[in-house]
Amino acid sequence: MRNLDLFRPPQEMRELNLLQELEKNPIISQRELSHKFGIALGVTNACLKRMVRRGWIRITGFNHRKIGYYLTPKGIAEKTKLTLHLISWTVQHYSALKEIIGRKFLEMQNSGIERIVFYGVSDEMEVAYVTLQGVNLKLIGIVEDEDKMNQKEVFGFELKDIRHIETLKPDAILITSLLGQNEREERLKKFVDVQRVPIYNISTY
């Protein structure tokens, strides 16, 4: 069993996000950047300083309160390079994830499992749904934590609160989100008998 480092978005993704945002809005504040991308203010500050050192952006002061971050020709070239890198990473991520989920499904089939539930609405869940079409398993429902239920229906299934998972009577559950997998697994144990309903996740194999 090993962790899939491939599934950790590369640092370049953060840099690309910042460069793209600065190109659209050079006078955005560091606090606004931090909030937009969900990263700590100190991390944002360190990233911007690194970009200045590399010659990707230049800083122009308007007054004591407002400064601008402008992409240099080198920064624009780097943004293009990072975009291509991200596309390559995304393709590799999808291919590896599809292969691992396929193995999970075959493992379930070989164990006599027929009816499964997805737990976690995410990009990974969409890959799992596509991969499911090639195996003899039946998806009977999708559940999510109450505070993450931002939609009522997914793939034609009514999205249910995890607390009601037992009403679906699954043979097994696949955690279909790479975020907070350990916490999700512990939460599941409160609502299902794991001896009777095994839990699978997609971050290890």
Side-chain angles (χ1 to χ4, degrees), residues 107-172:
E107 183 182 337
M108 291 180 188
Q109 276 189 187
N110 293 337
S111 299
I113 290 168
E114 296 178 355
R115 296 158 49 87
I116 66 170
V117 164
F118 287 170
Y119 170 28
V121 177
S122 66
D123 292 341
E124 296 84 56
M125 183 197 68
E126 295 185 17
V127 178
Y129 185 76
V130 170
T131 309
L132 185 69
Q133 311 312 310
V135 295
N136 293 319
L137 294 171
K138 182 179 181 182
L139 180 64
I140 58 170
I142 300 172
V143 299
E144 184 55 284
D145 300 322
E146 184 181 19
D147 61 337
K148 297 184 179 70
M149 294 177 65
N150 300 320
Q151 55 199 103
K152 294 182 178 180
E153 188 176 288
V154 183
F155 299 138
F157 292 92
E158 178 188 355
L159 187 60
K160 291 185 177 293
D161 189 315
I162 185 180
R163 292 174 297 182
H164 303 141
I165 192 168
E166 277 284 16
T167 64
L168 296 170
K169 303 187 185 307
D171 296 333

Side-chain angles (χ1 to χ4, degrees), residues 182-199:
N182 292 336
E183 293 83 355
R184 286 180 182 271
E185 189 165 342
E186 290 305 310
R187 209 168 294 127
L188 271 174
K189 292 176 181 177
K190 298 177 182 178
F191 303 109
V192 298
D193 178 0
V194 295
Q195 298 299 320
R196 184 177 59 80
V197 184
I199 299 169

Side-chain angles (χ1 to χ4, degrees), residues 50-67:
R50 186 164 58 246
M51 288 179 183
V52 171
R53 287 197 304 271
R54 291 174 175 173
W56 297 359
I57 60 175
R58 59 181 174 82
I59 298 177
T60 300
F62 293 99
N63 52 51
H64 68 287
R65 290 184 177 179
K66 210 69 169 170
I67 59 175

